Amino acid sequence: MNLGINIAGVELKNPIMTASGTFGSGREYEPYVDMNKIGCVVVKGVANVPWMGNPAPRIVETYGGMINAVGLQNPGVEVFIEEDIPFLRQFDTKIAVNLAGRTIEEYVAVASRLATADVDFLELNISCPNIKEGGVAFGIDANMAMKVTEAVKKVAKQPLIVKLSPNVTDITEIARAVEAGGADAVSLINTLIGSRIDIHKRQFILSTKHGGLSGPAIKPVAIRMVYQVASTIGLPIIGMGGIMTGEDAIEFMMAGATGIAVGTANLLDPCATMKILDEMLIFMQNKGIENINDIVGIVN
Amino acid sequence: MCQTSYKSKINCKIIKNVHLVDQVYEMVLDCPSIAMEASAGQFVNLYCHHKGRLLPRPISICEIDREQGRIHLVYAILGDGTAEFASYVEGEQIEVLGPFGNGFKFAPDYEEDVLIIGGGVGTPPLVQLAKELKGKKTIVVGFRSNPYLIERLEKYGKVFVTTDDGSTGFKGHVVALLEEKGLLGNIYACGPTPMLKGVKAYANKNNLKAQLSLEERMGCGFGGCVGCVTKVVAETELGYVYKKVCKDGPVFDAKEVVF
Ligand SMILES: Cc1cc2nc3c(=O)[nH]c(=O)nc-3n(C[C@H](O)[C@H](O)[C@H](O)COP(=O)(O)OP(=O)(O)OC[C@H]3O[C@@H](n4cnc5c(N)ncnc54)[C@H](O)[C@@H]3O)c2cc1C
Ligand SMILES: Cc1cc2nc3c(=O)[nH]c(=O)nc-3n(C[C@H](O)[C@H](O)[C@H](O)COP(=O)(O)O)c2cc1C
Ligand code: FES
């Protein structure tokens, strides 16, 4: 059976990727996961300088999901280059760096710094709901989305994935804008903005009031959006949002995703990527699917 | 599944799951590998059977029985997940991952006087600690009303109990009792944040070393999500950085913790 896929000219041994922010830079998962069996590790958001992140509480559970307000805490691109790239390069897997920024200049700074770094993809996160300074504005405004994509593409030396926000009226409009801006691929969906109130204390649970909802609760929204985007633009798609099983991953591929990313499931079970890979193989075997690429967008 | 050389969740058999007092229960799990690895002050992730309750419930290890390959957990019903745990019966299975966290620090031949301080469901991990610490041990534990685990703690040292309603022991909170008795020693404490804050101030005033075990809401328990942070002193503009309670803690030196 062939599980190999190609995203913007880069060959992945299988479609399994990790969703940014749910896999750190892999270190915490080394005791649980054979990293050589992951198609591509997408690391947590990296900014040009260290970011503190938000105060606790940053996490709250909801029915079938969770809301996070981590706020892109990260030690900055220099530490990432020095410590995380050499760690990940011990394994036979591809590396994608998730770029965090508040302004076009910040995004450009981190992408430029990574130009000489040994990584396989850049993933431009214009959709994080957890930063106030305007990260969201890029993801929900087509014109801004195009501008930031163009600016980063100009300095990027690796294929550029742009990560789309589901918190928009029409996701296809943003997808078209980043395609026009020069993106090589898109990934979706980032988290949906949500909130929870402690009715006994009469206050919000998260320190930031609202955060990003992820997990199985959001999967139907994600499937719909992947399908819509796949029907609109020609770029390869990395699909994510609530993938817990191999069957979920197959569903995303049938909706039009070439790669799939496992997010919240990693937090609930550090072995999730391995289980999902096994389950995908079993599904292929049972259905007589020889090449995984044959099912991509099959419903379109 | 993870390969055999990789770690994964373990399906543990529940040997015992009994009511102790009020909303507090004790669960004994058969899990030789975790019992072998665990140390005092570490915790495990328990996972609910209910599919809608996704996140792990972190519960401290109360006692480690390495001979029989068992761990004892003492937990209070606080919400839906812990209520679900209380409904489990002997012989049922539960998914467990761990042990996690750094645990309390002490040298095996350590002989100094220690002051062990607990509040409410912060008390359980202190049982294993009291068992392992040598030297003279004074134990102060505070509860809202009905105390628990007292008999077990009495095996290892002099125990003072405080209750908010005065129904047992000293009426008031643990720091008030520390002040009144003028108790001294190296401090090991676990309990609600207001208590730990008071303990830190008491340690400062009396120039005592103190280790505090903190709690925070967790997304994973093993360092994957950076969800469980606490403020730790650092030379930054604000004077602190965020560290992970699950991985860098749950036990921190009182001097590092910013409340
Ligand atoms: C390191 C550590 C050790 C702990 N040890 C013990 C122990 O030995 N005995 C004990 O009774 N309790 C302990 N707790 C607290 C225990 O984890 C919570 O009471 C429990 O998770 C509540 O779950 P629930 O489903 O009943 O509550 P719900 O409120 O329904 O839970 C919803 C979500 O919030 C989280 N949550 C709610 N309250 C807390 C809290 N106080 N701390 C952390 N997460 C919370 C839950 O894990 C869950 O993800 C510990 C917490 C931590 C962080
Ligand atoms: C704790 C946490 C942290 C995240 N951090 C990032 C991040 O740094 N950058 C990013 O682009 N997305 C981040 N995300 C979003 C995920 O990558 C993913 O898009 C989303 O969670 C949906 O997938 P899931 O339901 O499988 O988790 C984060 C999600 C979670 C739960
Ligand atoms: S709970 Fe995920 S990092 Fe601590």
Side-chain angles (χ1 to χ4, degrees), chain A residues 267, chain B residues 217-229 244-247:
Chain A
L267 307 178
Chain B
R217 284 172 184 266
M218 293 188 175
C220 67
F222 50 81
C225 68
V226 212
C228 59
V229 293
K244 300 174 191 171
V245 171
C246 71
K247 189 128 196 198

Side-chain angles (χ1 to χ4, degrees), chain A residues 59-61 196, chain B residues 41 43 48 53 55-62 73-83 85 121-122 124-125 213-218 245 250:
Chain A
I59 300 273
V60 62
E61 186 179 66
R196 255 199 88 179
Chain B
F43 65 93
C48 298
R53 294 183 195 122
L55 298 184
R57 269 58 178 174
I59 303 288
S60 302
I61 300 173
C62 174
L73 309 172
V74 170
Y75 61 96
I77 297 183
L78 208 104
D80 293 341
T82 42
F85 297 152
V121 285
S213 182
L214 308 186
E215 257 190 27
E216 192 44 69
R217 284 172 184 266
M218 293 188 175
V245 171

Side-chain angles (χ1 to χ4, degrees), chain A residues 93-147:
Chain A
T93 185
K94 301 293 182 215
I95 306 172
V97 191
N98 185 260
L99 310 181
R102 296 185 186 95
T103 60
I104 292 189
E105 292 70 34
E106 286 183 12
Y107 282 119
V108 167
V110 58
S112 318
R113 182 64 189 89
L114 288 163
T116 53
D118 180 21
V119 297
D120 302 291
F121 295 100
L122 303 183
E123 181 182 53
L124 180 60
N125 176 14
I126 55 169
S127 46
C128 180
N130 289 329
I131 47 170
K132 296 183 204 95
E133 284 86 348
V136 173
F138 290 111
I140 62 176
D141 180 302
N143 191 37
M144 290 289 279
M146 181 162 81
K147 273 197 184 136

Side-chain angles (χ1 to χ4, degrees), chain A residues 23-31 35 83-84 86-88, chain B residues 247:
Chain A
F23 206 73
S25 288
R27 245 187 219 95
E28 283 77 16
Y29 289 84
E30 204 189 356
M35 224 81 85
E83 293 177 9
D84 293 342
F87 169 78
L88 284 168
Chain B
K247 189 128 196 198

